[in-house]
């Protein structure tokens, strides 16, 4: 996480807070100091999904708001892209998990960047 209160830093913190909230909501009795491998991978996947979506919103936010699409279509499209990112990240994280028990930050960043790139490619004409 970059230091200094930048948008990127705040986004990372918010993404992790949302991922932790999801994990606790699914498992109210969970011990955060004693997470299983499955819980850790679920947390990583959830964090990456939230973070990728926040970056997507930052990247296309202004141009998307200025588009001539109806507000209901904009919301629907953003929800669609969010679901696509979640699915894309899930698949990539599962592949990484099968091949590597200890993922590096570079590998996780690569997953995030690939998922964003694929989303932009798939939805390029829809924006």
């Amino acid at each position: 996480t970059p230091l200094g209160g930048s948008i990127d830093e705040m986004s990372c913190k918010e993404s992790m807070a949302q991922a932790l909230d999801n994990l606790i909501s699914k498992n109210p009795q969970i011990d955060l100091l004693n997470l299983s491998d499955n819980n850790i991978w679920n947390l990583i996947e959830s964090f990456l999904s939230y973070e990728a979506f926040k970056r997507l919103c930052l990247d296309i936010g202004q141009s998307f708001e200025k588009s001539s699409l109806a507000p209901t279509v904009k919301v629907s499209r953003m929800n669609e892209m969010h679901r696509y990112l979640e699915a894309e990240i899930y698949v990539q994280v599962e592949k990484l998990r099968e091949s590597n028990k200890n993922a590096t930050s570079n590998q996780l960043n690569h997953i995030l960047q690939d998922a964003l790139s694929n989303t932009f490619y798939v939805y390029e004409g829809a924006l």
Side-chain angles (χ1 to χ4, degrees):
T1 303
L3 300 174
S6 68
I7 291 174
D8 290 337
E9 180 183 12
M10 296 309 295
S11 175
C12 283
K13 288 179 181 181
E14 290 170 8
S15 296
M16 183 52 80
Q18 287 175 304
L20 281 168
D21 184 55
N22 280 356
L23 185 65
I24 293 168
S25 294
K26 291 177 185 175
N27 308 296
Q29 304 303 321
I30 196 163
D31 178 3
L32 294 177
L33 298 176
N34 191 24
L35 296 175
S36 68
D37 283 348
N38 283 338
N39 288 330
I40 292 169
W41 281 102
N42 288 336
L43 188 61
I44 289 169
E45 178 188 322
S46 185
F47 167 76
L48 289 175
S49 295
Y50 282 116
E51 186 60 19
F53 186 66
K54 287 180 183 306
R55 290 186 188 191
L56 175 88
C57 291
L58 286 172
D59 286 346
I60 66 167
Q62 288 182 343
S63 60
F64 199 63
E65 287 177 12
K66 293 177 185 177
S67 75
S68 62
L69 297 173
T72 54
V73 174
K74 289 178 187 178
V75 170
S76 177
R77 196 76 36 83
M78 291 301 282
N79 288 338
E80 235 178 87
M81 287 188 283
H82 191 196
R83 285 189 303 273
Y84 180 86
L85 272 170
E86 286 176 327
E88 180 75 19
I89 286 172
Y90 173 79
V91 168
Q92 290 188 39
V93 167
E94 286 304 308
K95 284 181 186 176
L96 177 62
R97 184 178 179 183
E98 289 172 8
S99 67
N100 187 351
K101 296 285 184 198
N102 297 309
T104 67
S105 59
N106 284 342
Q107 290 170 314
L108 297 174
N109 188 46
H110 184 71
I111 287 173
L112 188 140
Q113 296 301 326
D114 276 356
L116 278 170
S117 179
N118 291 342
T119 303
F120 283 127
Y121 179 76
V122 168
Y123 287 93
E124 182 178 7
L127 304 174

